[in-house]
Amino acid sequence: VIVVAQDLTARKQLEAQFLQAQKMEAVGRLAGGVAHDFNNLLTVIMSYCDMLLATVPADDPQRQDLNEIRTAGEAASALSRQLLAFSRQSVIHPRVVELNAVVAASTTLLKRIIGAGIEIDTRLDPGAGRVKADAGQLEQVIMNLVINARDAMPFGGALTIETRRADASEVGTEAMTRAPLEYCMLAVSDTGTGMDAATQARMFEPFFTTKESDKGTGLGLATVYGIVKQYEGHIRVRSAPGEGTTFRLYLPSTAELESAPATAAAAGTAASIDARGGE
């Protein structure tokens, strides 16, 4: 009797990752198309609202109604930006930044958002490295992950933010088949309720949420996914019910020197170029 066995675990995992990537790509194209059309309608709504506000006296009772329309339009615009980030179609201004500097700059605001009952522990490796990305988008990623962690710990707990350098072998087969070979790793861990397998399978889908209707839009993790993929990065998640959740983000590192912050003149030039189209 001759028995031949072959371990197909890695192959099956790669197939599952590929199918999930295809699924998310299709959803991303749909979300991006909706966001573009939605922005066109918002342009008309907001423009007419601004023209009316310019003609209505400050003491006119209708002015409050117009302000409510404008507030709703601004909220809709933020929603559209999240959809564009998920679909990887948003306009970005990447520059070389220290990952640790972005995390440190966000920490003060994060402490206000987290509130009492949750302890924040930051473990920033001095050798974590630099990435070429839009600093505003990275802050948005950190903010979304921290808010998710906070909501998973309604009775308090511990939140850990960690950075360090990582190589492609840690990321997995998907990263080892192509450059780059070095990454900056950003991890956000909580001691909250955790997620079961069914929730993890859908966690990056737009509008999917396990929260109550007034506590989330279901776009937080979808936005994180879109931004990370926009920079050809990878996301790894470890979670189980009652055991908390850890999100590890791997962004391609760069050896380039840190870019100087954009000047007001440069920002004005960028804005005039963007005016040709692209939201």
Side-chain angles (χ1 to χ4, degrees):
V1 177
I2 299 177
V3 179
V4 180
Q6 184 176 1
D7 186 357
L8 300 178
T9 304
R11 176 180 161 184
K12 290 295 182 182
Q13 288 176 343
L14 198 58
E15 286 177 356
Q17 289 176 3
F18 177 68
L19 290 173
Q20 178 70 2
Q22 280 189 319
K23 172 183 169 184
M24 298 305 294
E25 192 69 33
V27 175
R29 283 197 297 269
L30 174 62
V34 170
H36 279 289
D37 291 341
F38 189 43
N39 267 341
N40 292 337
L41 297 173
L42 276 177
T43 301
V44 177
I45 294 170
M46 298 292 278
S47 297
Y48 274 99
C49 186
D50 286 340
M51 286 191 290
L52 287 170
L53 281 169
T55 59
V56 175
D59 57 349
D60 193 310
Q62 290 186 332
R63 191 172 184 86
Q64 183 177 354
D65 296 335
L66 290 171
N67 281 326
E68 289 295 330
I69 294 173
R70 178 140 186 68
T71 300
E74 289 171 351
S77 178
L79 182 67
S80 179
R81 283 196 299 272
Q82 285 188 302
L83 283 171
L84 286 169
F86 167 73
S87 63
R88 289 177 270 169
Q89 296 178 29
S90 56
V91 177
I92 59 174
H93 303 288
R95 60 187 183 90
V96 178
V97 294
E98 289 279 352
L99 183 58
N100 286 350
V102 176
V103 175
S106 306
T107 302
T108 303
L109 180 59
L110 294 179
K111 289 179 179 177
R112 295 198 189 103
I113 292 174
I114 288 296
I118 298 177
E119 297 181 3
I120 302 180
D121 180 20
T122 54
R123 304 172 184 176
L124 308 183
D125 182 353
R130 296 182 290 271
V131 296
K132 192 168 187 178
D134 186 306
Q137 282 195 328
L138 291 182
E139 290 174 357
Q140 186 179 7
V141 164
I142 296 169
M143 197 73 64
N144 285 347
L145 291 177
V146 168
I147 289 173
N148 258 26
R150 178 201 65 187
D151 293 344
M153 297 184 288
F155 305 109
L159 173 70
T160 303
I161 303 176
E162 178 189 1
T163 63
R164 59 177 171 78
R165 189 176 293 275
D167 57 30
S169 62
E170 180 182 331
V171 182
T173 310
E174 181 186 0
M176 292 180 67
T177 56
R178 60 183 181 180
L181 297 178
E182 289 194 350
Y183 292 83
C184 295
M185 193 279 294
L186 168 67
V188 177
S189 305
D190 65 65
T191 57
T193 54
M195 296 182 287
D196 57 24
T199 301
Q200 290 184 55
R202 300 187 59 191
M203 60 186 170
F204 294 124
E205 291 182 15
F207 306 113
F208 172 76
T209 180
T210 57
K211 301 176 185 177
E212 298 176 16
S213 57
D214 61 338
K215 292 187 178 179
T217 61
L219 281 174
L221 290 181
T223 303
V224 170
Y225 179 91
I227 292 174
V228 171
K229 289 300 179 181
Q230 194 166 25
Y231 297 119
E232 298 186 353
H234 307 275
I235 305 177
R236 297 292 178 262
V237 183
R238 182 187 59 78
S239 184
E243 297 182 12
T245 301
T246 298
F247 282 90
R248 288 190 176 87
L249 313 184
Y250 296 89
L251 299 170
S253 65
T254 178
E256 297 180 37
L257 297 177
E258 189 170 4
S259 305
T263 61
T269 304
S272 64
I273 293 172
D274 290 345
R276 296 179 301 172
E279 281 106 25

